[in-house]
Amino acid sequence: MSSKFSYILLLLPSVMLLSCSPTPQMNPPSSDTALNKHPLDQSEYRRFVLDNGLKVLLVSDPRFNKSAAAVHVGVGTLSNPKDRMGLAHFLEHMLFMGTEKYPEVDDYLNYINENGGSRNAYTTEDHTAYYFEINHQAFEGSIDRLAQFFISPLFTEQYTEREINAVHSEHQKNLESDSRRKWQVQRSFYREDHPANTFATGSLETLQEVSREELLDFHQNQYSANRMSLTLLGNTSLDDLEESARLYFAPIANRQLPPVSYDPVYLAEKATFRLISIEPIKELRSLELEFPLPISLLEHYQSKPASVLGSLIGHEGTGSLLALLKQQGLATGLSSGGYDITNDYGAFSINVDLTPKGLKNYREVVRLSLSYIALLEKEPYPSYYFGELKSIAQLDEIYSNKGEGTGYASRLVGQVADYPLAVAERVSYIFDREDPPAYRQLLSFLRPDNMIATLMAQGVETTDSEPYYGTQYSFTEDEAFYEQLLEVVPDPALHLPAANPFVPRQATIPDRSQRDDVVPAKLLDEEGLALYHVEDFEFLRPKVTLHYKLRFSTELMSLRRKVLLDTYTASVNESLNELSYPARIAGLSYSFGSGYEGVYFTVSGFDESAPRLFDSVLDHMQNLRLSEERFNALKDRIVRDFRNFPKQDAFRIAQFYNDEVLNRLNYRPEDRLAIAEELTLEDIEQFAAELYGQVFIEALVHGNISDAKAIELTRKLQEQLGVQTIDRQSTFTQTYLSQPDPEEFVRVEKLEVNNSCFWREYDAGTNSPHNRAIALILQGFMRGPFFTEMRSNQQLGYIVWAGPSAQRDIFHLYFIIQSSTHPADILEDRSDAFISTYPELLRALPAAKFDALKNAAAEEIKKQAKSIAEKAGKFNRLAFDFDGDFARDQKTLAALATITQEEIANFLQQVLGTETRSMRTTLALAKEHQAAREIETSFEDLEQWKDSRVYR
Ligand SMILES: [Zn+2]
């Protein structure tokens, strides 16, 4: 029995998982006890349905850092009235604009901001979700506020008009997003009488003059308690959580609305090859094969045929579809998977990133994709593969970090809505039974007559323009090619994946007593190396995290070497790809990348398998296994990323311009591009051969691992790479602009995109524990007022941000607005007028609110890491960015205790005041925007200007 299985794991700290675990016959648990959990896992669950039909799942866990809630309403954009595209999404926005009980606009947002929280919402085809996280003591107040969305929304006329602008701004922000442009063209090919043929976001045109009545109508005719699900995650008892759920959510009206049902066929079968060709904005090359699924995948949660199939077709190891496409020089990446769109239908898709050769021969890519599907049809049901996925899921259920906050709450509420309430929280771990017929049925839909292909690349032939986004596209049908596709057989180079070598053979709970006061010790401190190690006593998981940073000498940080370094790290990742894919499936993760200060290398996962992956990465760091063709495909991708730089969101480009001033060393994409274009595989191999000539290693090893083993792995890294050591002082360290005296720096840039951006940063001194305490208070205080004024009241744009930030030792306050309607200098004028009111706003804050902010700051400092990997990341920062000051949090807490409201008001006066401020402003103007006034920039030659400043 399944409960016996969990007992074995709980009582015996050492258990052979794969070899001796009985096949658990997992009937849904009848009580609230989870089946398999770690002995330190104190989470408890309770589930019930309120009298009004609302489904509830409660999670109580004393170790949660934040409380969280999520609401799922089973209605989305597919329920838009035909003449009101975007209404479901618009209503989602309007629920934030006040309720009868809490009539003030942004009351909910401000309450959450002031109490250390965050919130969001989204609308999909078949549902709308609202979720937030917040400090525990403010949980009840926020539950009450959220519940009122569904009881008594105001839909005030004044804000209805204004919020249309916010949604329109959101659409303007999306206008140049190639993925959204593609989705909209694809939707227009779905059956005209099916709601899937819709425009989801809404815009000024589609939402013009939406009345309060229309919103009330939609709310009354579509929102109903029996279409809703709720999760509450808190650190109080299940009884307390249940009381809140009943008190605040029972008043939601049950309008007895049946679940929305949909015609399962959104795209009819047709005996031809259907191809949509799209001209993208960015330099992209992709092919998507979409297979509509006129069935629900949800009922197959015990056998998960879509996970098995998606993981096989998307496999990147030897014998996989991607490996063959790469070998033939046709592709650089691939993803695949099946998903539900509604309870009645879904889709399966294969997405391929093409090389120039792959674009020319896209039909060969289609043919090979179907060839892999033909292989799956011929092969028996892959029972061994199901077994691997099941083993990993079992390990994950016991040992993984389940998460907390908005991420966990919103994931759970989706599971509550879609699956039996009895298994809602553990549905992703359930691999109860193999179901070959369900697998075969799913496979049977992956046919050429049940397929529509989308090719996206610059220069494809187009004939039409899509009305909502203006995307250029064409549509063709080809019967002759279709006939060929019917004849496709398995290619001899394709085969199913071999047994996964990274699946742990055993996993045991470390036999130690729990403590959470252990900090890293410096094991090695010598020329060329600093190694910190700390054994885990807090989580008692059979897991490790290894952090390595390889720093190079200052004179090696030239532009050319930076481009070589970035291309080299990308090459190592490409070389590792066939191997890292099964590792990722088996719960390991690794990252290998580069920054200005050198190479970053992290491996994380089960203690048994992580060292094996570590060895493989070491091997590929030295011996790249890349053909000329694969390297060129990779280079093409890197070069296109640089070329696509000016076509990104305006705020990202403005951020680059800001960082270029802030960071002492910061190379421009266009300069990097020129070098990257010329690189050859030989250049990279040569570079790799001498790269580790002079290195200083910063290492931190954390988890279920001894100090001897930590030293052994680190020595292996030194030896295998043939590292020649240098001292820490000779390595390059990035420094940041420090503006101690009043100074106003301005730069103006013209963009190629349709949004302007205002980006402002104030120098706020050093990142000391005292200033960090101030920053944490300001984090809760600054965001809300700027958002309410600039977005809700002045409707300048969809992206409106304000808050504190830090770069190692430098501390800033930032204000950012992206706008499709206002040029950047107008954004600046409006911002300046408002920013100047901040000191007074803070002075005027009621004492109770200030105390709440202070309390939220203390909670933020006391926040506990949730996993070994997260804790290792934190230790690593403290070890190397803050000189091993592992008591920094305690110092910040002590500083926080003494800070007064008056002190912060004075601080804001000093930092933001026009006489005393030191600041950087980037005004990035959209291609259609003209500055409204003359603007003087602060420099003629930026490098010269930087040479004359202080960086530290
Ligand atoms: Zn929105």
Side-chain angles (χ1 to χ4, degrees), residues 326-629:
K326 282 188 169 181
Q327 194 190 317
Q328 302 202 354
L330 298 171
T332 58
L334 181 145
S335 62
S336 118
Y339 46 92
D340 276 288
I341 297 169
T342 71
N343 288 351
D344 299 304
Y345 66 88
F348 193 97
S349 71
I350 304 176
N351 282 282
V352 186
D353 294 324
L354 302 170
T355 61
K357 182 178 169 189
L359 174 62
K360 229 181 281 161
N361 299 283
Y362 73 89
R363 291 186 167 208
E364 182 60 9
V365 179
V366 176
R367 213 187 56 77
L368 288 174
S369 303
L370 292 173
S371 170
Y372 196 86
I373 291 164
L375 170 77
L376 295 176
E377 274 163 354
K378 206 186 89 194
E379 292 282 339
Y381 175 79
S383 192
Y384 77 101
Y385 200 77
F386 179 88
E388 286 180 359
L389 295 179
K390 175 179 174 154
S391 298
I392 290 298
Q394 285 178 340
L395 288 170
D396 273 349
E397 181 161 25
I398 303 164
Y399 296 116
S400 73
N401 165 23
K402 306 278 186 308
E404 61 174 11
T406 52
Y408 194 33
S410 60
R411 193 165 72 241
L412 282 181
V413 86
Q415 293 173 189
V416 170
D418 288 343
Y419 298 98
L421 194 49
V423 294
E425 78 278 12
R426 54 181 305 271
V427 74
S428 58
Y429 305 114
I430 295 177
F431 283 79
D432 278 2
R433 56 189 182 86
E434 301 178 21
D435 188 350
Y439 170 85
R440 292 281 166 213
Q441 186 203 20
L442 184 53
L443 200 48
S444 76
F445 292 115
L446 311 191
R447 299 186 321 262
D449 63 333
N450 187 47
M451 176 178 95
I452 186 161
T454 306
L455 185 68
M456 190 150 76
Q458 289 185 341
V460 296
E461 208 169 301
T462 60
T463 51
D464 294 272
S465 179
E466 189 283 317
Y468 293 105
Y469 289 76
T471 311
Q472 301 299 306
Y473 72 94
S474 63
F475 176 75
T476 55
E477 295 183 352
D478 185 335
E479 270 106 75
F481 183 51
Y482 170 75
E483 293 297 330
Q484 290 174 30
L485 292 177
L486 292 179
E487 305 302 319
V488 167
V489 294
D491 189 287
L494 296 172
H495 58 80
L496 292 187
N500 189 334
F502 292 106
V503 177
R505 285 178 292 264
Q506 68 169 47
T508 60
I509 295 166
D511 186 13
R512 290 190 284 273
S513 324
Q514 204 232 355
R515 286 167 54 190
D516 53 13
D517 57 349
V518 183
V519 297
K522 214 172 196 179
L523 284 188
L524 297 174
D525 187 6
E526 54 193 46
E527 189 182 88
L529 175 66
L531 167 64
Y532 282 92
H533 164 261
V534 56
E535 196 168 14
D536 161 51
F537 283 81
E538 187 176 350
F539 304 97
L540 303 185
R541 292 331 201 241
K543 294 196 171 188
V544 294
T545 293
L546 317 167
H547 276 285
Y548 289 98
K549 179 170 170 185
L550 289 76
R551 310 181 72 116
F552 305 116
S553 140
T554 300
E555 62 263 29
L556 296 181
M557 286 304 164
S558 67
L559 170 64
R560 181 176 166 79
R561 289 191 61 97
K562 171 70 178 147
V563 178
L564 277 163
L565 185 66
D566 292 346
T567 312
Y568 160 73
T569 50
S571 301
V572 173
N573 285 310
E574 179 64 23
S575 174
L576 271 164
N577 198 246
E578 274 94 357
L579 205 130
S580 60
Y581 187 83
R584 267 181 281 139
I585 291 184
L588 292 168
S589 62
Y590 91 96
S591 68
F592 186 78
S594 48
Y596 281 99
E597 296 187 345
V599 166
Y600 302 82
F601 167 28
T602 305
V603 174
S604 206
F606 288 100
D607 52 4
E608 182 201 303
S609 45
R612 255 181 275 155
L613 179 59
F614 173 83
D615 286 348
S616 303
V617 179
L618 275 190
D619 179 21
H620 286 253
M621 281 165 78
Q622 276 210 299
N623 308 298
L624 291 175
R625 292 171 187 77
L626 286 184
S627 65
E628 198 82 42
E629 190 156 37

Side-chain angles (χ1 to χ4, degrees), residues 89-90 92-93 120-123 163 166-167 170 201 791 798:
H89 172 228
F90 182 59
E92 170 227 296
H93 275 240
N120 216 331
Y122 64 82
T123 307
E163 200 56 22
V167 168
E170 186 177 348
T201 321
R791 181 168 147 173
Y798 178 76

Side-chain angles (χ1 to χ4, degrees), residues 28-68:
S30 50
S31 73
D32 282 341
T33 41
L35 278 180
N36 303 317
K37 62 194 244 183
H38 192 279
L40 292 182
D41 183 347
Q42 298 174 55
S43 61
E44 293 179 309
Y45 298 83
R46 184 176 293 171
R47 63 210 80 224
F48 50 87
V49 180
L50 292 177
D51 291 342
N52 60 10
L54 193 147
K55 294 203 280 177
V56 182
L57 177 69
L58 308 174
V59 190
S60 159
D61 189 334
R63 285 180 68 88
F64 279 149
N65 289 299
K66 303 259 177 189
S67 294

Side-chain angles (χ1 to χ4, degrees), residues 79-132:
S79 300
N80 282 335
K82 263 286 171 204
D83 57 351
R84 263 307 176 213
M85 300 285 190
L87 189 63
H89 172 228
F90 182 59
L91 185 134
E92 170 227 296
H93 275 240
M94 283 306 298
L95 289 186
F96 286 84
M97 314 305 281
T99 59
E100 270 173 36
K101 187 166 178 189
Y102 297 102
E104 231 166 272
V105 67
D106 294 340
D107 162 85
Y108 169 74
L109 292 183
N110 291 332
Y111 185 83
I112 285 179
N113 283 338
E114 286 158 13
N115 289 287
S118 64
R119 51 79 214 160
N120 216 331
Y122 64 82
T123 307
T124 73
E125 276 93 338
D126 74 333
H127 73 270
T128 309
Y130 304 82
Y131 46 90
F132 70 82

